[in-house]
């Protein structure tokens, strides 16, 4: 397969290898395994939302029951934020209604309307994602 990538001058080429315990009998199967591996980044983003956005590691819960309930809650919140993030990356100019409920949109509009200088000037998915990110700091 021919590539348009140019190797930097004066540096040896990088020889990437993906190690797997799955059978790879031909080129198409190898590409499939690479596509699977590429999805790993999305799992990393989801966990970043849990750790940074929801501050999962700061929880100091003293019982397994409380920790379980907390993890269930932040997993749901993290999934919604992750889905919104991936959707806004794919189609930043999309209408917010493609992902957010009318209640969520109205709530964000009300929060923004209470500011001295409103930030939601364009009703796009990317703008609402930014509003949610700003709520988290």
């Amino acid at each position: 397969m021919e590539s348009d990538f140019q190797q930097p001058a004066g540096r040896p080429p990088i020889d990437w290898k993906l190690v797997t315990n799955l059978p790879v009998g031909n080129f198409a199967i190898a590409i499939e395994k690479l596509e699977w591996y590429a999805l790993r980044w999305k799992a990393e983003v989801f966990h970043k939302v849990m750790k940074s956005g929801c501050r999962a590691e700061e929880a100091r819960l003293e019982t397994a029951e409380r920790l379980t309930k907390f993890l269930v809650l932040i997993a749901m919140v993290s999934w919604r934020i992750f889905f919104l993030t991936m959707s806004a990356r794919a189609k930043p100019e999309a209408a917010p209604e493609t992902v957010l409920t009318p209640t969520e949109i109205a709530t964000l509009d009300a929060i923004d309307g209470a500011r001295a200088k409103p930030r939601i000037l364009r009703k796009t998915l990317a703008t609402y994602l930014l509003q949610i990110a700003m709520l988290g700091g």
Side-chain angles (χ1 to χ4, degrees):
M1 187 157 80
E2 197 75 24
S3 172
D4 292 332
F5 178 76
Q6 298 295 318
Q7 177 183 329
R11 293 189 180 180
I14 296 174
D15 185 21
W16 293 99
K17 291 180 177 40
L18 178 61
V19 178
T20 179
N21 61 351
L22 300 170
V24 179
N26 60 46
F27 186 72
I29 294 172
I31 294 299
E32 176 188 53
K33 301 311 180 260
L34 288 171
E35 289 170 346
W36 289 359
Y37 183 75
L39 294 174
R40 177 180 177 271
W41 183 247
K42 290 185 178 181
E44 295 290 338
V45 172
F46 174 74
H47 285 105
K48 181 181 177 184
V49 170
M50 284 185 84
K51 290 172 69 173
S52 300
C54 294
R55 299 185 179 113
E57 293 178 336
E58 293 178 23
R60 299 292 178 250
L61 302 170
E62 296 182 9
T63 67
E65 181 183 358
R66 288 179 178 174
L67 182 59
T68 300
K69 289 177 181 179
F70 174 71
L71 290 175
V72 168
L73 175 65
I74 67 166
M76 291 187 297
V77 169
S78 298
W79 175 251
R80 286 283 288 148
I81 293 170
F82 172 77
F83 181 70
L84 177 59
T85 301
M86 293 296 116
S87 298
R89 284 182 185 173
K91 296 190 178 197
E93 298 301 316
E97 294 83 6
T98 59
V99 176
L100 298 170
T101 67
T103 303
E104 290 166 335
I105 293 168
T107 302
L108 289 166
D109 286 343
I111 291 168
D112 192 56
R115 289 190 171 100
K117 185 177 178 187
R119 297 178 183 150
I120 298 177
L121 304 176
R122 297 175 53 230
K123 305 281 184 176
T124 67
L125 194 53
T127 303
Y128 281 86
L129 173 61
L130 183 59
Q131 285 299 102
I132 293 169
M134 288 176 167
L135 289 173

